[in-house]
Amino acid sequence: YVALALGIASILSGLGRLFWGLLQDKIGVKWTLVLMGGLTAVCIMFTYLSAYVTGSFDQKFAYTLSLSGAFFCVSGNYAVFPAATAHYFGSEGLGTKYGFLFISQSAGAILSALYITIIPFWTPLIIAVILTSIAAGLLASRLNDSQREEMSEIEAKVLLRKRERRHSVIVREER
């Protein structure tokens, strides 16, 4: 049963990347992050609560559905975060900037694993994940989209200066 549940969740993880990427193109980075944070919190909460559903089939169905929803939402990180990083911090050095963001996700996974080996109670960890998902959504709602427009003007000036320098070097070499 667990293999089937994880198989379904993995398929939805792949579909989630496509969905969140398309949604981001339609409504923008900010509101996509807000929705992802809120839905992730709901799905993780229902995954935890599915243990209290009675009936073998009902419990398995509730667990598979909520786990698949969580995979669907969390997979959006891989579609939205690179674009969000470029949107808010510029595309210059994007690999390094996104690398730091990706390391923070890895660090969170490692810390969660260490926590669960030291304190074998899932409830506080689940509550922490739910609260951080809600906090991520709330923080995303506070993002300033006009900030990116200012950054893009700065980037345009920097690119223009680079082109002017290259052009002046080419002109000097031709003389």
Side-chain angles (χ1 to χ4, degrees):
Y1 156 73
V2 173
L4 176 63
L6 287 174
I8 293 169
S10 295
I11 290 168
L12 282 170
S13 173
L15 294 173
R17 294 168 200 230
L18 295 172
F19 171 80
W20 292 110
L22 290 171
L23 185 65
Q24 170 192 306
D25 291 341
K26 297 284 185 204
I27 67 170
V29 171
K30 176 181 176 176
W31 295 110
T32 303
L33 290 172
V34 170
L35 285 172
M36 273 181 18
L39 287 175
T40 299
V42 169
C43 289
I44 291 173
M45 181 182 66
F46 280 123
T47 301
Y48 179 72
L49 294 176
S50 69
Y52 300 101
V53 174
T54 57
S56 177
F57 176 78
D58 293 340
Q59 184 180 31
K60 289 178 182 177
F61 180 75
Y63 178 76
T64 302
L65 185 65
S66 57
L67 180 70
S68 297
F71 272 53
F72 182 82
C73 291
V74 172
S75 70
N77 293 343
Y78 302 106
V80 176
F81 281 10
T85 303
H87 183 79
Y88 288 105
F89 301 108
S91 57
E92 182 93 15
L94 179 62
T96 304
K97 294 171 188 172
Y98 180 66
F100 280 109
L101 184 65
F102 196 78
I103 286 172
S104 68
Q105 293 175 345
S106 303
I110 291 168
L111 290 174
S112 297
L114 289 173
Y115 169 86
I116 209 64
T117 57
I118 295 169
I119 304 169
F121 302 108
W122 283 91
T123 304
L125 182 63
I126 297 295
I127 291 170
V129 169
I130 291 168
L131 292 177
T132 54
S133 295
I134 292 169
L138 291 173
L139 287 172
S141 71
R142 304 288 301 156
L143 288 173
N144 183 359
D145 285 333
S146 63
Q147 172 188 4
R148 180 61 194 136
E149 292 169 10
E150 294 167 14
M151 292 175 74
S152 103
E153 288 176 23
I154 293 169
E155 286 177 341
K157 289 177 184 176
V158 168
L159 287 173
L160 185 60
R161 286 185 192 140
K162 285 181 182 179
R163 287 182 186 153
E164 288 172 352
R165 284 187 206 137
R166 273 191 233 134
H167 181 67
S168 66
V169 170
I170 292 170
V171 170
R172 281 188 224 139
E173 288 176 356
E174 289 177 359
R175 289 182 190 169

